[in-house]
Amino acid sequence: MADLAFTPRKDFLVPSSQAAVLAGLGSWLPPRVVGNEEIAQRLDTSDEWIRSRTGIAERRVVDPGTSTVDLAVEAGRRALASAGESEADAVVLATSTADQLCPASAPQVATKLGLNGVAAFDVNAVCSGFIYGLATAAGLIAAGIARRVLVIGADVFTSLVDPEDRGTVPIFGDGAGAVLLRAGDADELGALGPFDLHSEGELAELLWVEAGGAKNRRSEDPRDHYLVMQGQTVFRHACARMAESARAVLDSAGWVVGDLDRFIGHQANIRILQTCAKQLGLAVDVMYSNIEKVGNTSAASIPIALADAVKDGSLQPGNRVAMGAFGAGLTWGSTLLRWPDVIPG
């Protein structure tokens, strides 16, 4: 039996005026690369068809036995190392592919990272999950509940995709990304905010997995256990909502679109990113994308993109950055920061 003894920490309470500052960054992708040609060999599609509609050339897929917790632990470990830290006071895991329906996966992630006894919970806002997770962590810090919060976006979204559906198989990949947030001052590089968060539950059926939950636990139709997506309608909502949300946080911060050096959006589809940029009046080269190499990794996509953008020089300290996402629920949201001097783990 595991040792039940741990000592609650009392030294991390902070004033409510503290901001959440990004102090560490890490990402992890499964080693297995699945290119478009491999998908085209078994489905009625082609590399050209996939690229022209999504911008995706390849994606990463977990090997059997590799789980969301496994991915999250590796990304979290790298974010902690990036910040030069070995501890956090809370773990927020953004995922819609928890290892079990019950319990949440975050406590397992925390334990595997050696963070025994800390607050740990999942946030399920699907592709918007990382933005929701950042806002939740910022609230913990502002309330004085935690000084350091590890926010992880991790999904094995290929587990939700019908392997015979050419409309969804090419889009999704697996992966994890994480940031460590610390208490700091609002005028520091890396300070997050303001935030803008929204949802529209009446449109849930546009993008959902019908079975598996309490309402329809054991549907006999296997298709009910896979993701269903009404692509064209989702496309329209995604473009409009991401642009609206970005305008809202820019207005709240007193910034204008021309102030942005980078927009790091959820990597759902290259055409969504391009259309969102057009609706905002944003130069296309400001809208960062790494979707060609990783596909749509759901809640993991923004932190993975952040890490890639730093590695390839697209993000520099002092850059004014917007982050925005749209996902099932429907959910969407945005936030801002001036990029800190962080080296990804």
Side-chain angles (χ1 to χ4, degrees), residues 199-223:
S199 71
E200 180 50 82
E202 291 184 1
L203 301 176
E205 294 183 26
L206 293 179
L207 187 63
W208 77 340
V209 179
E210 182 177 357
K215 184 177 180 179
N216 186 6
R217 185 76 181 92
R218 298 181 180 87
S219 172
E220 295 181 1
D221 186 342
R223 293 172 297 181

Side-chain angles (χ1 to χ4, degrees), residues 62 68 96-98 155-162 174 225-227:
V62 297
T68 294
S96 51
T97 61
D155 271 306
V156 179
F157 218 76
T158 58
S159 66
L160 300 182
V161 173
D162 182 346
D174 304 325
H225 294 271
Y226 290 125
L227 180 74

Side-chain angles (χ1 to χ4, degrees), residues 69-96:
V69 167
D70 295 328
L71 298 179
V73 168
E74 188 59 39
R77 182 179 291 117
R78 289 167 177 247
L80 288 168
S82 168
E85 295 280 0
S86 59
E87 295 184 349
D89 308 311
V91 175
V92 179
L93 174 61
T95 187
S96 51

Side-chain angles (χ1 to χ4, degrees), residues 29 58-60 173 290-297 304 308:
L29 294 168
E58 62 187 40
R59 71 287 295 144
R60 301 295 185 95
N290 66 342
I291 195 171
E292 181 181 11
K293 296 294 185 181
V294 298
N296 180 344
T297 55
I304 291 172
D308 285 353

Side-chain angles (χ1 to χ4, degrees), residues 24 37 40 72 81 86 98 105 128 131 133 136 166 177 180 183 202 243 281 300 315-316 334-335 344:
E37 293 296 345
S86 59
S105 290
S128 304
I131 298 295
T136 302
R166 78 165 190 162
L180 183 72
E202 291 184 1
L315 265 183
Q316 298 291 330
S334 301
T335 192

Side-chain angles (χ1 to χ4, degrees), residues 66 83 92 118 141 154 169 187 196 225 247 282 287 295 305 320 322 326:
T66 300
V92 179
V118 306
I141 289 171
V169 169
D187 59 356
D196 179 72
H225 294 271
R247 291 191 194 98
L282 190 69
M287 181 70 77
R320 291 192 175 194
F326 176 91

